[in-house]
């Protein structure tokens, strides 16, 4: 089905170049893939670009009005079309697109118009305490970023003036050249060196941004840190990065997370580990000891006969898993502590205990197993 470029841009056949250009800018911004995430947005964006490349060029527009879409395949004058078999004025970009290789294939013979560039992302380090990472937090960070100039509202032109069509590419954003090669004469196109593809120039620049349309500013940003985040994780805050070129979206702010170590807890993913000292009697007779957890104190049952370095698991007492209603576990390693100072009464008790213990006899049995080793 033949394409009607006037219909694609939503203008009448008698539309002026200014009306065509205005319609193109509005539609290009609407369907730009960085802004519009609909499935067919990229195709519509390319259709709009191609329609403007024809109607925005007086010679191509004249051919289109006379021959329709077929004018791009034969006849024509100026930079478009194909004049005879000598290859004079042959546009390889159009040819490859007609044969289904896509419009980008022709970039081998010269680039096309560059679209407005998206703003750059900003990376920032955010330091959290162990508790803030575990439970989440609200943080305010200060960054230096590129903002739209308020004085000229991003136009780059002095207030009261406006941007004008580029005198090099005549507002198309594209420079076209004729090159002679072994294949014949090839028409190529590239992004305009003067306006960098925008199609416009600033004759009287804004005194604040010096015609750039953007300025550097310090900005305070509030971010929400989710519960369970860990060191090394990244938070992406959409559209809080640097301002893009006119018609392009802003970049993102990416927060790189660092977590301070804790005096008691050690973290492994969503599990936490800690050590608790217990006495001889608690280990031998069994007991119930009080241990700290992320959500307060809890009781841990120590069975009788517990050995030093035994690891106990407290299910669900760890850190919340990101984007899930699940928690890791808390692991408690007990260490049996030997008293450094022994009272007279404790000494008597230990001496009596030693007479009852079987450990000394079992230790003597080791020498029996090594008989002949020391001879």
């Amino acid at each position: 089905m033949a394409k009607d470029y006037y219909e694609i841009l939503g203008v009448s056949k008698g539309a002026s170049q200014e009306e065509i250009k205005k319609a193109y800018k509005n539609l290009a911004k609407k369907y730009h893939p960085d802004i519009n995430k609909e499935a067919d947005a990229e195709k519509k964006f390319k259709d709009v670009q191609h329609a403007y490349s024809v109607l925005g060029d007086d010679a191509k527009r004249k051919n289109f009005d006379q021959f329709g879409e077929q004018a791009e395949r034969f006849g024509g004058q100026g930079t478009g079309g194909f004049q005879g078999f000598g290859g004079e004025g042959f546009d390889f970009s159009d040819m490859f697109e007609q044969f289904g290789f896509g419009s980008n294939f022709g970039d081998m013979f010269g680039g096309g118009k560059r679209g407005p560039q998206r703003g750059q992302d900003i990376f920032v380090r955010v330091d959290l305490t162990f508790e803030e990472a575990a439970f989440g937090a609200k943080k305010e960070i200060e960054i230096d970023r590129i903002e739209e100039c308020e004085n000229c509202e991003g136009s780059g032109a002095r207030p009261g003036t406006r941007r004008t069509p580029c005198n090099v590419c005549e507002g198309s954003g594209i420079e076209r050249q004729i090159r002679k090669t072994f294949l014949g004469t090839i028409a190529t196109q590239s992004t305009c060196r003067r306006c960098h593809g925008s199609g416009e120039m600033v004759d009287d620049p804004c005194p604040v941004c010096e015609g750039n349309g953007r300025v550097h500013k310090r900005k305070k940003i509030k971010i929400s840190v989710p519960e369970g985040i860990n060191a090394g994780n990244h938070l992406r805050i959409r559209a809080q990065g640097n301002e893009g070129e006119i018609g392009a979206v802003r970049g993102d702010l990416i927060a790189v997370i660092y977590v301070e170590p804790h005096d008691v807890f050690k973290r492994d993913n969503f599990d936490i580990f800690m050590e608790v000292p217990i006495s001889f009697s608690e280990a031998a007779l069994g007991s119930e000891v009080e241990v700290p957890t992320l959500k307060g104190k809890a009781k841990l049952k120590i069975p009788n006969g517990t050995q030093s370095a035994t690891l106990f698991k407290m299910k669900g007492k760890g850190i919340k898993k990101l984007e899930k209603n699940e928690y890791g576990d808390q692991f408690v390693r007990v260490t049996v502590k030997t008293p450094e100072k022994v009272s007279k009464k404790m000494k008597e008790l230990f001496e009596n205990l030693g007479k009852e213990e079987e450990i000394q006899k079992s230790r003597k049995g080791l020498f029996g197993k090594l008989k002949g080793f020391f001879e």
Side-chain angles (χ1 to χ4, degrees), residues 26-33 36 38 41-42 44-45 48:
N26 290 336
L27 291 173
K29 185 174 182 180
K30 177 180 178 181
Y31 293 119
H32 196 285
N36 193 323
E38 294 179 7
E42 185 174 357
K44 289 181 177 179
F45 179 75
V48 167

Side-chain angles (χ1 to χ4, degrees), residues 54-341:
V54 174
L55 299 185
D57 183 290
D58 289 334
K60 285 188 176 182
R61 181 181 181 182
K62 183 178 179 181
N63 289 342
F64 177 79
D65 289 342
Q66 187 174 358
F67 301 106
E69 190 181 359
Q70 299 298 320
E72 298 179 71
R73 302 184 185 179
F74 60 86
Q77 295 177 358
T79 58
F82 160 44
Q83 300 173 350
F85 292 98
E88 185 69 21
F90 195 92
D91 192 332
F92 276 88
S93 178
D94 287 346
M95 182 193 76
F96 286 125
E97 187 173 355
Q98 294 294 337
F99 281 92
F101 291 102
S103 58
N104 291 334
F105 195 90
D107 286 349
M108 289 172 24
F109 298 92
K113 180 178 180 180
R114 177 180 69 84
Q117 296 297 293
R118 173 185 180 274
Q120 291 184 330
D121 294 334
I122 298 175
F123 288 81
V124 62
R125 169 174 172 154
V126 176
D127 292 298
L128 303 176
T129 64
F130 190 91
E131 290 81 4
E132 286 175 330
F135 300 118
K138 300 287 186 182
K139 303 288 285 185
E140 184 176 76
I141 57 178
E142 190 172 5
I143 59 173
D144 180 38
R145 74 180 183 187
I146 298 173
E147 296 267 327
E148 180 183 277
C149 176
E150 295 179 356
N151 188 58
C152 65
E153 298 181 339
S155 71
R158 184 185 294 274
T161 66
R162 61 179 182 175
R163 299 167 69 92
T164 58
C166 174
N167 57 14
V168 174
C169 64
E170 297 181 346
S172 69
I174 299 172
E175 284 190 72
R176 295 178 174 85
Q177 295 178 326
I178 303 296
R179 299 179 184 175
K180 292 186 177 181
T181 72
F182 68 94
L183 294 173
T185 302
I186 300 176
T188 62
Q189 59 185 34
S190 60
T191 301
C192 177
R193 66 185 183 278
R194 176 67 176 83
C195 66
H196 305 292
S198 68
E200 296 178 327
M201 297 189 308
V202 176
D203 294 325
D204 189 2
C206 168
V208 175
C209 64
E210 298 178 344
N212 194 321
R214 298 175 295 170
V215 293
H216 282 271
K217 280 190 177 180
R218 295 293 292 176
K219 192 79 175 178
K220 289 184 178 180
I221 306 292
K222 291 182 179 180
I223 64 173
S224 296
V225 177
E227 185 177 356
I229 201 165
N230 205 355
N233 290 160
H234 292 60
L235 284 178
R236 182 179 289 271
I237 301 93
R238 299 287 181 185
Q240 289 295 338
N242 288 316
E243 185 75 33
E245 294 180 351
I246 296 175
V249 296
R250 184 190 286 273
D252 298 331
L253 175 64
I254 300 173
V256 184
I257 303 299
Y258 289 79
V259 181
E260 299 171 1
H262 196 273
D263 293 335
V264 175
F265 299 115
K266 300 291 185 291
R267 180 173 177 175
D268 182 12
N269 205 2
F270 300 106
D271 296 329
I272 58 174
F273 292 79
M274 65 169 298
E275 290 189 356
V276 170
I278 60 175
S279 66
F280 277 144
S281 58
E282 288 174 325
L285 303 176
S287 64
E288 192 175 69
V289 299
E290 197 173 63
V291 298
T293 71
L294 289 175
K295 295 186 177 179
K297 298 176 181 178
K299 298 289 186 179
L300 176 65
K301 186 175 182 180
I302 307 294
N304 63 307
T306 292
Q307 303 298 305
S308 187
T310 299
L311 192 66
F312 294 94
K313 181 169 80 170
M314 303 177 74
K315 189 171 179 61
K317 295 292 186 181
I319 293 174
K320 185 178 184 298
K321 298 180 180 180
L322 285 169
E323 300 179 354
K324 293 182 181 179
N325 194 25
E326 299 175 11
Y327 288 80
D329 302 319
Q330 177 170 326
F331 292 88
V332 181
R333 189 183 302 279
V334 296
T335 54
V336 180
K337 290 293 184 181
T338 303
E340 296 179 0
K341 294 182 179 180

Side-chain angles (χ1 to χ4, degrees), residues 363-375:
R363 192 164 58 241
K364 289 179 180 179
L366 291 174
F367 289 94
K369 296 177 182 179
L370 297 169
K371 188 176 180 180
F373 187 82
F374 297 104
E375 296 177 359

